[in-house]
Amino acid sequence: MSTLSPVDLPNSYIGRSVARPGLARLTQGRGEYVSDLALPRMLQVVFLRSPYAHAEIVAIDTSDALKMPGVVRIVTGRELAEHCTPWVGVLTHLKGLKSAPQHALAVDHVQWQGEPVVAILARSRAEAEDASDRVYVEYREIDPVVEMFSAAEPGATPIHADLGDNIAFERRLDAGDVDAAAAASDHVISQRFVFGRHTGVTLEARSIVADWNRAEQRLTVHLGNQAPHMIQNIVAKHLALEEQQVRVLTHDVGGSFGIKVHIYPDEMAVCALARMLGRPVKFFADRLESFVSDIHARDHVLDGRIGVKNDGTITFFEIDDITGIGPFSVYPRTSAVEANQVVNLTGGNYAVPNYRARTRVVFQNKTPTCQYRAVGHPIACSVTEGLVDLAARAIGMDVVEIRRRNLVPDDAYPCSGPSGIRFEALSHQASLEKLLQMMDLPALHADQEEARRRGVHRGIGFASFIEITNPGPAFYGVGGAKISSQDGATVKLDASGAVTVQSSISEQGQGSAAIIAQVTATALGVPLARVRVILGDTDNTPYGGGTWASRGAGIGGEAAFQAGRALRDNILKLAGTILQADPTSLDIRAGSVVDEVDGRERLPLSELARIAYFRPDTLPADFQSELMATRHFVPREYGFAFTNGIQASYLEVDTETGFIRLLKHWVVEDCGQPINPQLVDEQVRGGVVQGLGAALFEQCRYDDQGQMINANMADYLVPMAGEMPDIEVGHIITPTKESAIGAKGAGEAGTAGAAACVANAVNDALAPFGVVITEIPLTPEVVLNALRHV
Amino acid sequence: MIDISLTVNGERVSACVLPRTHLVDFLREELCLTGAHLGCEHGVCGACTVRLDGEIVRGCLVLAVQADGSVVETVEGLSDSGEIADLQQAFIDRNALQCGFCTPGMLIASQDLLKAGGVPSREEIREHLSGNYCRCTGYHAIVDAVEATAKAREAAR
């Protein structure tokens, strides 16, 4: 490896905010999303979904529907089950996790409102929708299990009789000595925290086109998705195909955020239907069915406890968590990971060894939940930071000061958190100080006081956080799921001297292609414009995990960097042969081979490629050029590259209406070496706003019969431009030593801490009223109830 | 089926459509103009925003038959004419798009504001774009790009 750090290399694009490739295409409406795709002979499928949260299917009558114009085929769960085997969403390392077999279309029973029951295939979507009105399904309703505490009660009716009860998973952790720490505390504070259930609302709903070619015996799956190789594996497995009979292409993906990284029954049905009919089948979810069929997330209630001494020392954290996950653990990543993360992460930013936790993951008849951006992080962060503020209040200490005293010191690394998570190097203290520089706290306090005198209630809230990035096999691979944690890149110098990179990570708009291009151009020493990136096609990329859990830059980027360095070595060997020079005396800069010492151009890469490809006869007989190199990478030393940061919110609470107006938001985060600082900032900002949506607006509201009552975009509120503040982003840079490029992830930092600092700011604003709110979303109703104005 | 004639991106188009066909479905499926996107199909998200006789409309709330005799402009047309080239470049420079699915609608709505002239405040930009949802960017970069374009156009005036 070069002794120069990547950022110091000549012509480095690492650390530079260059524009992403492909953006002109998207701004001109020339994106190619799966929802845009139309293939010859393609059929559209519409799914009739269960109107009940829990019912037995008594009979299905499709005879009238089959007579409707344009209808080609109608398929029920029983018929489809002969073509697609069911699955069970468990992982062996989550000990005790259980779930029931789940079919692509419901067989005999429906378990949530929105579960697909019948597939109607027609020449157009409108015709299929018309026909779906004429499919008659007779149901026998069963009392739904909706509320998670009662679902968890001993003796509660189990949703799946075979499983015995509704507890899918339970984990306990006890570190240090919480009881002794509590006894030694001057104050012990208990507080319940409530986190609403929300969902991702990708602007492009889930869309898939599956195409079975009978002649080639091959299924091509066009699917807006984050993990194409995972999809390939699972589609093949449940359709009884070899993996090489399945090709998955992602195309442009209209937003994902973790929504499009799971196995959905309707998408599996589309693959099976395409094979049954031998022609392309398209499903593009409409927004109403997205709300009840996309995975939901969060839906946790935690009882938290914290101990503190009068000098500000935090003595322990304790949480008792419960979460409702719907009727199935989602395949293959499972629905126990969020709860597991809550246990892993809570209190992890503080030097507090005493920690006790329990989580219970409970089945219920609602839409399944699974991993969505910042899995578990907003919950762990909100509980931790909410408790810290309450501790500060109990002893009359400033909320910044209590953090300064208790956050893990920057010189303590490497070290471990109380749950056993290992930290290579974090920067909590430096991040806090940087944040304070950015926000001018004395001026804010003065403004707050001045507003208070006018009867206007403004608040300042802080939230320090840790973020899991660059996961190794500990997430899924060790539990038996075939979800790769390593990624690969192949870098090729073509005959014109241009460069193509094929990478196994995928793009959903975060800038994966840009990152791959930047590190490759840097590793090779070529202009960025000479690099083309290919992603999202299992036929044309190395095998790898894809893009999720903030891993694309740190893992996929390092693979591309190493592949670029390997190709550079090959090029220099060839150049040395051509120039009769020692390869170590040469370098590649700006697309030409140069003398390493004085930078004098010796050979443009276009000329080198011409010789290699067209005049190899001029090279020595025993020399074979290799102008394509592949490398793979997975971090080995640490299971995860933890990152850290801190956020702050300034806001105003209208105590008459309960409305919250966000005035400003600040973030300092440390993702190691940023490859493209602009992209990092925009990941942070976008993540913050998703967290603010959860904090203020977003909630899947259910009635006591398990019916989602706001399953449309007018009633389910997401953040709009007019409600969001400007967001200032700053950085501390602590590169990971696990890789040459030193990059950690940045995609989930914003979401991790946004709700926590907003809640703390609301409580700061409402401090004169003696009100503490620890429930999100912080709707006007919640605020007014707390103020007892309702 | 109903016969309609309209002008789409400067080209005259005659077609026969079902009365229930939405304008956006007509554009996407009949004319293969897939720049207008389907985000919600109930008039909330703004991803299907197009221009109808100079005014921005939601393609999912207008029927194709209502566009009979009208002039329709989509992001493809505004791109080819160069009308929003500076705004598109500002979006690229500022990374004011991530997945890009909202972007055609966002650009057309932004141009609607910019056409009025002057330099709108950030609050005015945010207000004007509040009918266009973006789930990726958090809006800050979009506001920056629109503001930068307004300033550049004002300076060039």
Side-chain angles (χ1 to χ4, degrees):
Chain A
M1 189 180 303
S2 165
T3 52
L4 285 169
S5 87
V7 275
D8 298 329
L9 288 168
N11 318 305
S12 178
Y13 294 96
I14 291 179
R16 279 177 55 188
S17 296
V18 295
R20 287 162 52 200
L23 285 194
R25 196 167 56 77
L26 298 180
T27 64
Q28 293 177 23
R30 295 177 194 281
E32 292 171 350
Y33 302 90
V34 174
S35 54
D36 297 332
L37 198 60
L39 299 181
R41 299 180 68 239
M42 186 172 83
L43 294 175
Q44 302 272 348
V45 63
V46 162
F47 292 98
L48 189 66
R49 296 176 183 276
S50 171
Y52 299 110
H54 200 186
E56 188 184 328
I57 299 170
V58 178
I60 299 174
D61 179 358
T62 61
S63 53
D64 277 3
L66 280 165
K67 295 173 195 154
M68 293 290 286
V71 172
V72 173
R73 185 94 174 247
I74 297 178
V75 177
T76 64
R78 281 218 167 276
E79 185 181 0
L80 196 86
E82 293 168 22
H83 302 269
C84 180
T85 57
W87 53 84
V88 181
V90 295
L91 289 164
T92 56
H93 67 307
L94 296 170
K95 287 196 174 40
L97 173 61
K98 63 193 182 196
S99 190
Q102 183 178 9
H103 286 275
L105 296 178
V107 177
D108 296 340
H109 280 84
V110 287
Q111 321 267 15
W112 86 87
Q113 177 224 358
E115 183 172 6
V117 177
V118 179
I120 300 105
L121 295 112
R123 290 180 58 246
S124 76
R125 188 174 167 200
E127 287 171 326
E129 285 176 359
D130 291 344
S132 73
D133 289 342
R134 304 289 180 93
V135 174
Y136 307 112
V137 183
E138 188 187 333
Y139 294 98
R140 185 177 299 127
E141 284 186 73
I142 303 169
D143 277 344
V145 177
V146 177
E147 197 278 318
M148 56 186 162
F149 281 100
S150 53
E153 288 287 319
T157 307
I159 290 177
H160 308 288
D162 294 351
L163 298 183
D165 59 29
N166 292 318
I167 309 290
F169 178 68
E170 180 166 356
R171 181 183 168 197
R172 290 168 188 271
L173 189 145
D174 205 342
D177 190 337
V178 167
D179 294 331
S185 302
D186 292 313
H187 300 268
V188 171
I189 303 110
S190 302
Q191 182 68 36
R192 171 163 286 195
F193 294 80
V194 178
F195 299 86
R197 169 184 273 255
H198 55 89
T199 184
V201 196
T202 60
L203 205 54
E204 184 196 29
R206 291 185 294 109
S207 51
I208 178 171
V209 177
D211 184 8
W212 173 252
N213 185 318
R214 280 187 175 139
E216 291 189 338
Q217 291 287 295
R218 204 150 190 256
L219 186 73
T220 303
V221 182
H222 308 269
L223 174 65
N225 187 271
Q226 300 170 230
H229 284 102
M230 181 197 94
I231 298 293
Q232 178 190 43
N233 167 258
I234 286 170
V235 168
K237 179 174 175 183
H238 293 281
L239 266 58
L241 297 169
E242 296 295 328
E243 283 191 31
Q244 64 182 20
Q245 287 178 282
V246 179
R247 177 185 183 186
V248 179
L249 296 105
T250 62
H251 303 272
D252 291 317
V253 182
S256 191
F257 324 118
I259 297 301
K260 298 171 183 171
V261 75
H262 309 294
I263 292 300
Y264 286 94
D266 45 24
E267 294 172 7
M268 290 297 284
V270 170
C271 294
L273 291 166
R275 194 171 176 207
M276 290 163 69
L277 277 91
R279 59 196 285 191
V281 175
K282 178 173 185 173
F283 168 61
F284 179 28
D286 79 25
R287 183 57 59 186
L288 304 185
E289 69 186 334
S290 294
F291 276 109
V292 292
S293 64
D294 289 3
I295 60 110
H296 294 175
R298 323 306 185 213
D299 205 4
H300 286 244
V301 177
L302 293 94
D303 290 317
R305 276 208 315 159
I306 188 171
V308 66
K309 292 183 179 174
N310 285 331
D311 68 0
T313 306
I314 296 170
T315 53
F316 75 94
F317 287 99
E318 181 171 10
I319 57 166
D320 187 3
D321 173 42
I322 185 169
T323 178
I325 60 163
F328 298 104
S329 170
V330 172
Y331 188 59
R333 291 167 191 253
T334 85
S335 304
V337 169
E338 177 150 275
N340 202 49
Q341 298 283 59
V342 171
V343 171
N344 284 338
L345 296 172
T346 300
N349 40 343
Y350 291 98
V352 178
N354 306 305
Y355 174 48
R356 185 186 289 152
R358 175 175 79 146
T359 186
R360 288 178 297 161
V361 175
V362 178
F363 293 121
Q364 54 180 178
N365 294 112
K366 290 184 182 177
T367 297
T369 70
C370 201
Q371 281 74 284
Y372 163 64
R373 194 175 199 170
V375 185
H377 291 65
I379 296 155
C381 180
S382 291
V383 171
T384 304
E385 296 300 291
L387 288 171
V388 168
D389 268 23
L390 291 173
R393 193 178 285 200
I395 58 171
M397 181 174 276
D398 177 71
V399 294
V400 171
E401 186 54 29
I402 195 168
R403 286 177 171 81
R404 240 184 224 129
R405 286 186 187 213
N406 290 281
L407 285 168
V408 177
D410 291 352
D411 61 3
Y413 300 97
C415 66
S416 294
S419 66
I421 51 180
R422 292 170 62 224
F423 305 122
E424 180 192 8
L426 300 179
S427 58
H428 290 298
Q429 300 286 348
S431 296
L432 171 60
E433 298 312 320
K434 169 97 180 174
L435 182 83
L436 295 173
Q437 285 168 20
M438 284 163 55
M439 61 192 295
D440 192 359
L441 196 52
L444 290 177
H445 279 139
D447 180 70
Q448 188 182 23
E449 285 310 308
E450 189 276 327
R452 207 71 97 184
R453 285 194 291 275
R454 292 185 282 117
V456 173
H457 301 286
R458 293 181 172 169
I460 307 163
F462 295 87
S464 164
F465 63 89
I466 49 177
E467 182 199 348
I468 295 175
T469 79
N470 295 1
F475 257 172
Y476 300 116
V478 299
K482 290 186 174 170
I483 303 170
S484 180
S485 53
Q486 62 84 59
D487 273 284
T490 295
V491 183
K492 174 177 72 178
L493 187 75
D494 76 13
S496 71
V499 176
T500 304
V501 198
Q502 296 150 292
S503 165
S504 57
I505 67 167
S506 58
E507 173 83 77
Q508 299 86 41
Q510 58 277 84
S512 299
I515 296 303
I516 295 296
Q518 286 180 253
V519 297
T520 306
T522 303
L524 272 174
V526 300
L528 193 61
R530 297 293 276 166
V531 181
R532 271 191 81 79
V533 177
I534 294 171
L535 307 172
D537 178 357
T538 54
D539 266 9
N540 285 302
T541 59
Y543 200 92
T547 298
W548 41 272
S550 298
R551 64 190 302 286
I555 298 178
E558 178 69 11
F561 185 79
Q562 296 300 343
R565 296 301 282 174
L567 177 59
R568 176 183 178 275
D569 289 347
N570 291 355
I571 289 171
L572 291 181
K573 265 183 224 157
L574 172 59
T577 304
I578 295 169
L579 298 170
Q580 297 185 333
D582 179 356
T584 63
S585 71
L586 303 171
D587 192 10
I588 306 171
R589 292 176 200 165
S592 283
V593 177
V594 299
D595 271 334
E596 210 211 351
V597 175
D598 60 12
R600 185 169 57 93
E601 184 179 62
R602 300 290 305 275
L603 188 65
L605 289 182
S606 54
E607 177 62 9
L608 174 134
R610 185 191 68 80
I611 294 167
Y613 288 117
F614 306 120
R615 294 304 305 277
D617 56 303
T618 62
L619 299 173
D622 61 350
F623 183 87
Q624 175 60 49
S625 60
E626 294 292 348
L627 296 183
M628 187 156 167
T630 299
R631 290 292 182 272
H632 293 81
F633 177 74
V634 66
R636 294 304 182 101
E637 175 69 22
Y638 286 87
F640 312 95
F642 273 92
T643 73
N644 69 282
I646 187 165
Q647 303 192 22
S649 169
Y650 191 46
L651 53 74
E652 187 175 300
V653 183
D654 186 325
T655 53
E656 295 301 317
T657 65
F659 276 94
I660 293 165
R661 189 159 72 96
L662 303 172
L663 301 172
K664 184 90 192 210
H665 201 100
W666 300 263
V667 183
V668 173
E669 68 82 57
D670 182 348
C671 65
Q673 174 62 49
I675 309 296
N676 184 319
Q678 184 187 50
L679 297 186
V680 171
D681 286 358
E682 297 316 314
Q683 278 300 296
V684 170
R685 289 195 174 99
V688 163
V689 167
Q690 280 189 1
L692 294 177
L696 299 179
F697 313 118
E698 295 186 41
Q699 186 168 23
C700 301
R701 302 176 84 95
Y702 276 84
D703 69 11
D704 61 6
Q705 291 302 301
Q707 296 284 319
M708 184 171 166
I709 57 176
N710 64 334
N712 65 77
M713 226 178 212
D715 294 328
Y716 180 101
L717 305 180
V718 303
M720 300 189 296
E723 303 159 327
M724 289 296 108
D726 280 351
I727 299 162
E728 207 174 307
V729 184
H731 302 278
I732 300 293
I733 296 176
T734 310
T736 175
K737 294 188 173 66
E738 285 255 55
S739 65
I741 62 174
K744 309 178 202 173
E748 298 167 282
T751 310
C757 67
V758 163
N760 283 349
V762 166
N763 288 327
D764 184 46
L766 298 181
F769 301 88
V771 163
V772 173
I773 309 176
T774 49
E775 175 179 353
I776 63 166
L778 286 150
T779 61
E781 184 186 8
V782 167
V783 173
L784 291 178
N785 270 330
L787 288 164
R788 294 189 176 81
H789 278 205
V790 169
Chain B
M1 299 290 275
I2 294 176
D3 291 323
I4 58 170
S5 295
L6 61 162
T7 303
V8 179
N9 297 332
E11 290 177 23
R12 287 192 298 125
V13 175
S14 295
C16 190
V17 298
L18 286 169
R20 67 175 174 180
T21 305
H22 288 114
L23 177 60
V24 65
D25 290 331
F26 173 71
L27 294 169
R28 288 173 54 82
E29 291 169 15
E30 297 299 319
L31 305 186
C32 299
L33 292 168
T34 54
H37 295 143
L38 298 179
C40 71
E41 299 179 272
H42 51 275
V44 181
C45 78
C48 62
T49 302
V50 295
R51 223 189 246 165
L52 179 66
D53 292 331
E55 298 293 325
I56 56 171
V57 297
R58 290 172 188 237
C60 72
L61 294 184
V62 177
L63 296 171
V65 293
Q66 291 176 283
D68 186 27
S70 296
V71 173
V72 174
E73 293 161 281
T74 71
V75 72
E76 290 93 340
L78 298 185
S79 300
D80 290 346
S81 73
E83 180 184 333
I84 57 169
D86 56 345
L87 182 62
Q88 288 166 322
Q89 191 57 49
F91 268 59
I92 293 168
D93 292 343
R94 187 56 192 82
N95 197 52
L97 62 154
Q98 289 182 24
C99 83
F101 200 75
C102 74
T103 308
M106 197 67 82
L107 288 165
I108 294 173
S110 299
Q111 174 68 357
D112 186 59
L113 174 68
L114 292 170
K115 273 198 313 180
V119 178
S121 68
R122 292 180 75 80
E123 290 68 30
E124 286 166 339
I125 295 168
R126 285 182 177 278
E127 191 59 35
H128 190 85
L129 297 180
S130 281
N132 290 76
Y133 287 0
C134 171
R135 283 297 270 175
C136 297
T137 65
Y139 301 109
H140 184 130
I142 294 172
V143 176
D144 286 351
V146 174
E147 186 182 40
T149 305
K151 285 178 177 168
R153 287 189 189 179
E154 189 68 12
R157 205 176 282 268

